[in-house]
Amino acid sequence: ASLMLVGLMSVPALAANCSVTDSDGPMVISPAPTTGYQQTIQIDGQKTGINSCVMVPLRALGEKLGFTVTWKDGEAKLENKDIYTVVRPGDDVYFITTNHKDLVGMSAPISFGAVPYVSNGTTYVSLDFFKTLMDYQNGSITLDGSTIQWETISTVAELQALAASKDPAVLAKNYKLARDLDLSGVTFSGIGSASAPFTGMFDGQGHTVSHVTVKGGDNAGFFNVTLGAVIKNLHLSDVNVTGGSRVGGLVGWAQAELDRQDMAGSKAGLVGSCTVSGTVSGSRAVGGLVGLNEGRSDQETMFSVASAVDKCTAAVSVSGKEKVGGLAGENSGSITKSAAQGSVTAPASVFSSVR
């Protein structure tokens, strides 16, 4: 089959169990009845219907979309001035990394249910892969730093005001920490909750928040609950966090949300270049950095999304009753280039996850 992308180019495409409909507008590849899933990709202001069963040549389409495609050690790297990613034939897991200084380096891992493969010297990937790259560049994530609106936190009172808020609009804003803060003598409630998680960005800019005391129930941490949030360049020292289930020095519960209809609608957070020291205690899913680092998957669509931890360290004494870890108490997400040190205490008769 040949897939036309709004007159921009024509590339061979492999489609299984798909029907093709011609029209005056862009070609639309309709899903088979059992698929029930259709998306669009926008190129040069035009939308082209796509279906997850379409496989397209990596280099041909990548270069037409403005990416430089290079190969090394059996891996293909696609890169432009804003983002890059690596494709490994046989591996349906991708990380999208930004080159922009105002964003943290790596997305959560993404899968599309279609493994890239090589045929007659040509590497094929799911067209959903390119849709997601374009969504990250042009819609789902803003890559132009000038368009990101930041709120500045300079005082303990401003940080406490953020923690006290239950307003989703406030919890969806982007915050920068302007200086080191000392919370000695302050009982900090933690930011976000299960009903109103923190969904924005928090850039510590290398500053330290010290003497953090959080006394909560379930979902306790400097950030109690996050969903699709980015937390980076933040250092916490001398924390004392206590709670029940899902307790962490930095994040109690890093939630992930999977959209079975459109991978671009899925949400998972990223914690990058952060450190924590102190003590953390709870009952279940207790970690020095994150209590529960969550991932989601769907067997029918083979989609998956995961909260990610990258380049973080925790020097924390952690204690709990079940699923206790120096870095994460419970992890179904992704943890890379991170380390933990400090004691981990849990009953010998229960499962202890030391990460």
Side-chain angles (χ1 to χ4, degrees):
S2 180
L3 181 66
M4 300 295 295
L5 297 179
V6 199
L8 175 66
M9 64 174 294
S10 176
V11 297
L14 305 180
N17 298 321
C18 291
S19 61
V20 179
T21 304
D22 291 313
S23 64
D24 293 334
M27 178 180 292
V28 176
I29 299 181
S30 302
T34 56
T35 305
Y37 169 64
Q38 184 163 342
Q39 301 181 15
T40 60
I41 186 170
Q42 185 165 320
I43 301 175
D44 287 352
Q46 300 292 324
K47 289 184 176 181
T48 299
I50 67 172
N51 179 267
S52 59
C53 60
V54 177
M55 303 293 287
V56 295
L58 176 68
R59 181 183 294 277
L61 185 50
E63 291 180 346
K64 287 295 183 179
L65 291 175
F67 290 91
T68 299
V69 183
T70 57
W71 282 89
K72 183 179 180 180
D73 299 328
E75 300 178 349
K77 182 178 181 180
L78 282 78
E79 183 172 20
N80 63 18
K81 65 181 181 65
D82 293 319
I83 57 177
Y84 70 87
T85 189
V86 173
V87 175
R88 302 174 181 85
D91 185 4
D92 183 34
V93 178
Y94 310 88
F95 294 88
I96 298 174
T97 304
T98 173
N99 289 322
H100 201 284
K101 64 181 179 65
D102 280 341
L103 293 180
V104 77
M106 185 186 297
S107 75
I110 304 168
S111 299
F112 302 104
V115 175
Y117 64 92
V118 179
S119 177
N120 296 323
T122 298
T123 300
Y124 288 87
V125 295
S126 167
L127 191 49
D128 284 350
F129 165 79
F130 282 109
K131 176 190 183 297
T132 300
L133 287 184
M134 301 307 288
D135 280 341
Y136 264 71
Q137 181 168 266
N138 297 326
S140 297
I141 292 181
T142 302
L143 290 171
D144 180 358
S146 64
T147 67
I148 299 175
Q149 301 299 314
W150 293 97
E151 304 286 333
T152 300
I153 293 178
S154 303
T155 67
V156 171
E158 289 171 341
L159 184 62
Q160 286 182 299
L162 174 59
S165 179
K166 307 300 180 185
D167 185 348
V170 172
L171 295 167
K173 291 182 178 181
N174 305 313
Y175 297 89
K176 283 188 175 181
L177 189 60
R179 64 182 184 89
D180 295 347
L181 296 177
D182 188 342
L183 300 190
S184 295
V186 175
T187 298
F188 189 62
S189 63
I191 300 168
S193 64
S195 59
F198 180 73
T199 58
M201 295 174 61
F202 194 101
D203 185 355
Q205 300 195 107
H207 294 297
T208 299
V209 181
S210 59
H211 304 107
V212 179
T213 299
V214 179
K215 297 180 179 179
D218 293 343
N219 312 319
F222 185 84
F223 291 89
N224 297 318
V225 184
T226 63
L227 175 60
V230 173
I231 303 166
K232 63 174 182 174
N233 306 324
L234 177 62
H235 307 296
L236 304 180
S237 68
D238 297 318
V239 304
N240 183 2
V241 181
T242 59
S245 297
R246 298 176 295 275
V247 181
L250 180 62
V251 181
W253 184 6
Q255 294 181 332
E257 185 177 281
L258 180 66
D259 188 331
R260 297 177 68 252
Q261 302 302 315
D262 186 350
M263 269 299 300
S266 297
K267 299 176 183 177
L270 175 61
V271 176
S273 301
C274 294
T275 65
V276 180
S277 67
T279 61
V280 175
S281 62
S283 57
R284 186 179 189 277
V286 186
L289 187 81
V290 182
L292 171 56
N293 189 51
E294 191 172 58
R296 299 278 185 176
S297 61
D298 180 72
Q299 292 185 346
E300 182 178 344
T301 61
M302 298 299 290
F303 288 168
S304 65
V305 67
S307 295
V309 172
D310 183 54
K311 300 183 182 72
C312 293
T313 61
V316 180
S317 296
V318 186
S319 61
K321 298 179 180 179
E322 184 179 0
K323 295 190 175 180
V324 185
L327 199 61
E330 183 175 357
N331 177 48
S332 53
S334 171
I335 299 177
T336 54
K337 299 179 181 178
S338 300
Q341 58 182 351
S343 63
V344 176
T345 304
S349 59
V350 302
F351 170 74
S352 179
S353 173
V354 181
R355 302 180 188 277

